[in-house]
Amino acid sequence: MSQKGGFARNVKRAAEIGCQTLQFFVGNPTGWKPLVLDEEEAEKRRLVLKEHDIFPYVIHSAYLINLAAKKEEFLHKSRLLLQQTMENASLIGAPYVVVHVGSHGGRGFKKGLELFISTLEEEMPNWPPGVELLLENTAGAGTSLGGSFISIGNILKALGEDAPLGLCLDTAHAFAVGYDFSTTEGLKKAMGELFEHVGMEKIKVIHVNDSATPRGSCRDRHAHLGEGFIGSEGFKAFFRYPWPDNIPAILETPEMGSGWDAINMERLRSYAGKQES
Ligand SMILES: [Zn+2]
């Protein structure tokens, strides 16, 4: 959505088109410098969200964070920025922080995943209670980790059933990696892998995006719902799976003026079989 006019205005704009959940950044999404949210500002934001009945809401961490970074300096900065993001989430009352699984930087997937797991193992005890870190499946470009449901399942298993971790499932990324979300048959296979290796109970948030690039392209470009390669039929089939009632479904469709946001919301509601409330 448009970010014009500050937090309260943005939340109001979302509520006006019927949003019941929201994802936002705290601080600069493309910078290293952590924003330390003070309690007064956090309280203000909590109240705005409450006023518009938006819950649960999700904080997306900054894009530079790479918990498998090859360079010591970047790994260190990533840890600091993630820790501050978890603390900000706690202050603002967000139960979830989303992070991308990161990139192995040329050392190979096995080493990259090992480092990702050991970094999380060290960081998890420092997190405030009540906030879970959700690993978002990636579009699988280049050296990026976490494109396959199996690899995310392995991370979650390695860190234990009770770890404050889960999956944020991005439909466009899964499609770009090669999971066929556009057909009932393809979905059956993809969901089979997802439920077997990750488990439905670990899926906490869904990013509902159509894909502007073909299946298997490993390119991350989102499209408006029904206008991309997944298409309406794919999303309808996707929402026939027995998702929990309270699972946040979040749009990350291109920002092209408020008209499209309302259309995407309407389509999402019709795919999910929900009436305007
Ligand atoms: Zn996403």
Side-chain angles (χ1 to χ4, degrees), residues 23 60 98 100 136-137 168-170 173 207 209 222 252:
Q23 171 179 268
H60 198 296
V98 170
H100 293 182
E136 178 169 356
N137 60 305
C168 170
L169 172 65
D170 189 304
H173 298 172
H207 285 171
N209 303 309
H222 298 180
E252 296 176 320

Side-chain angles (χ1 to χ4, degrees), residues 55-102:
F55 194 84
Y57 37 91
V58 181
I59 294 193
H60 198 296
S61 59
Y63 291 113
L64 291 173
I65 291 181
N66 181 8
L67 301 172
K70 197 174 167 185
K71 251 188 144 173
E72 188 55 45
E73 183 201 348
F74 291 141
L75 187 60
H76 181 68
K77 281 177 166 174
S78 296
R79 287 172 184 249
L80 291 180
L81 191 48
L82 178 69
Q83 177 63 27
Q84 188 60 52
T85 309
M86 296 300 279
E87 283 169 24
N88 287 341
S90 170
L91 271 181
I92 215 167
Y96 305 121
V97 168
V98 170
V99 72
H100 293 182
V101 181

